[in-house]
Amino acid sequence: MALRTENSGLAQLRYDGDRLVQRVIEYGGAHPLAGENVFKASVQFQKDAVRGQIQGVVEIKDLKQDRRKDFFYDLSGFDTDLHRLARQKKISGANLLNILLQTVRVLLAVRDKFNRTHGALRPESILLRAALSSKPEVALTDFLPNPAASTAPDKYEMDDLRALGQTIAAVAAIRPDQDTLDIRQLHINSLPEPNDQEASRRLGKDWPALQMFARDLLWQSDTAVFKSLDQLEQKLARLSGVAVRVGQAIDFGSLPDKRFGDAPFQIVVEASSGLRVSLG
């Protein structure tokens, strides 16, 4: 049976009926992994990540080349990627927040193990299973190779923060007939307005909040709202209603000098997590 091929951003997905079985990458041209050596180094990193037991990194199996600039590899267990999903189905704001939260958690696991994150995140590099459920499963592919010694590892993290903002913009803007969309062209001024009818139709009542969220991710400066993936995970978890464990410090205000028999006094206590602290 011939496989059905669908374009998805700068990748192609091959289906056997409704089952996703292969992913194709043309590593030339505009693709972030342009160049055979860069692409193969990316594949090697993903293999290292899988061997390191990082959950949520796509395992590349049976890598083959069928044309001068096309590689393909087998996939199992995935339904689609975020680009194709956004092009074909309506995604609620809650769905998108859950997908982004799981994506950030994969990036944090990679960072904790390898001291770098993705570096070239795009909607088509986010593969999905049960995408529209309350617990979507996410796996990432198309990682840039390890950064050169002259490249600070945290540059990948800042690039990924921006890419997540661009991903929100892409999901809001992509059309059903739009096979390709280069998210690197999306910036703050290209975000649909909070009252944009098409974005509201696609993402529902959550679009105004998501639009502000995307703006915060795209605004990268000394006054940026998000300066790390850790901050972003906490924000996404709160918005999604998902529990997240964070470290905290409890500070006591200065205590006045008192003697036995003096009038009662209050102790001021603050927790860095923002949670209320009660004594007694």
Side-chain angles (χ1 to χ4, degrees):
M1 179 179 177
L3 299 180
R4 183 181 85 255
T5 298
E6 295 188 18
N7 291 327
S8 184
L10 298 181
Q12 290 183 337
L13 301 176
R14 289 177 177 168
Y15 284 84
D16 181 357
D18 293 330
R19 188 168 60 93
L20 177 58
V21 294
Q22 288 180 346
R23 187 170 185 271
V24 185
I25 285 293
E26 180 181 331
Y27 64 82
H31 198 280
L33 302 182
E36 183 174 356
N37 291 337
V38 175
F39 178 79
K40 289 184 175 179
S42 170
V43 169
Q44 185 59 52
F45 173 76
Q46 285 186 226
K47 290 181 177 179
D48 292 343
V50 170
R51 279 197 295 269
Q53 298 183 324
I54 301 295
Q55 298 295 317
V57 174
V58 172
E59 183 176 4
I60 296 181
K61 303 176 182 177
D62 301 323
L63 182 66
K64 299 175 183 176
Q65 189 170 13
D66 60 0
R67 289 206 303 266
R68 186 172 64 87
K69 288 187 177 181
D70 281 6
F71 279 98
F72 67 93
Y73 50 90
D74 294 343
L75 291 171
S76 61
F78 299 104
D79 306 321
T80 188
D81 64 32
L82 184 54
H83 181 104
R84 178 177 177 271
L85 180 72
R87 188 163 57 89
Q88 294 190 339
K89 295 184 181 294
K90 181 179 178 179
I91 305 176
S92 72
N95 288 144
L96 183 56
L97 286 171
N98 282 327
I99 290 169
L100 293 175
L101 176 59
Q102 299 310 316
T103 299
V104 168
R105 287 181 167 171
V106 175
L107 294 172
L108 287 170
V110 172
R111 189 194 67 186
D112 291 346
K113 181 75 174 182
F114 294 100
N115 193 35
R116 48 75 53 93
T117 56
H118 191 285
L121 197 63
R122 309 169 65 87
E124 63 266 28
S125 60
I126 302 173
L127 295 177
L128 300 165
R129 177 170 37 242
L132 299 183
S133 71
S134 60
K135 294 183 179 180
E137 295 183 47
V138 168
L140 305 183
T141 189
D142 296 348
F143 285 77
L144 279 183
N146 283 319
S150 59
T151 304
D154 60 358
K155 181 182 184 302
Y156 277 20
E157 186 163 347
M158 298 308 296
D159 287 347
D160 289 345
L161 288 169
R162 183 188 303 108
L164 288 164
Q166 291 167 325
T167 294
I168 295 173
V171 171
I174 195 169
R175 302 186 304 272
D177 61 347
Q178 197 165 6
D179 287 344
T180 62
L181 176 65
D182 189 347
I183 68 167
R184 290 172 296 183
Q185 298 174 0
L186 300 177
H187 46 78
I188 286 180
N189 293 333
S190 63
L191 273 172
E193 293 296 325
N195 60 353
D196 184 88
Q197 291 185 353
E198 180 61 22
S200 297
R201 184 188 68 80
R202 296 186 64 80
L203 290 164
K205 61 181 177 57
D206 297 313
W207 167 241
L210 282 165
Q211 198 260 14
M212 182 60 68
F213 197 33
R215 290 183 67 88
D216 289 342
L217 286 165
L218 291 168
W219 179 256
Q220 293 194 2
S221 69
D222 292 340
T223 59
V225 175
F226 296 107
K227 296 183 179 180
S228 74
L229 287 166
D230 306 271
Q231 290 178 301
L232 180 56
E233 184 203 17
Q234 293 173 33
K235 176 72 171 181
L236 284 168
R238 286 196 295 270
L239 291 174
S240 304
V242 176
V244 60
R245 294 183 179 182
V246 296
Q248 69 172 345
I250 297 178
D251 294 324
F252 291 83
S254 58
L255 300 178
D257 291 331
K258 291 288 181 180
R259 293 182 179 181
F260 181 76
D262 286 349
F265 63 95
Q266 288 188 329
I267 299 176
V268 178
V269 184
E270 294 182 349
S272 60
S273 64
L275 296 174
R276 181 179 177 183
V277 179
S278 61
L279 301 175

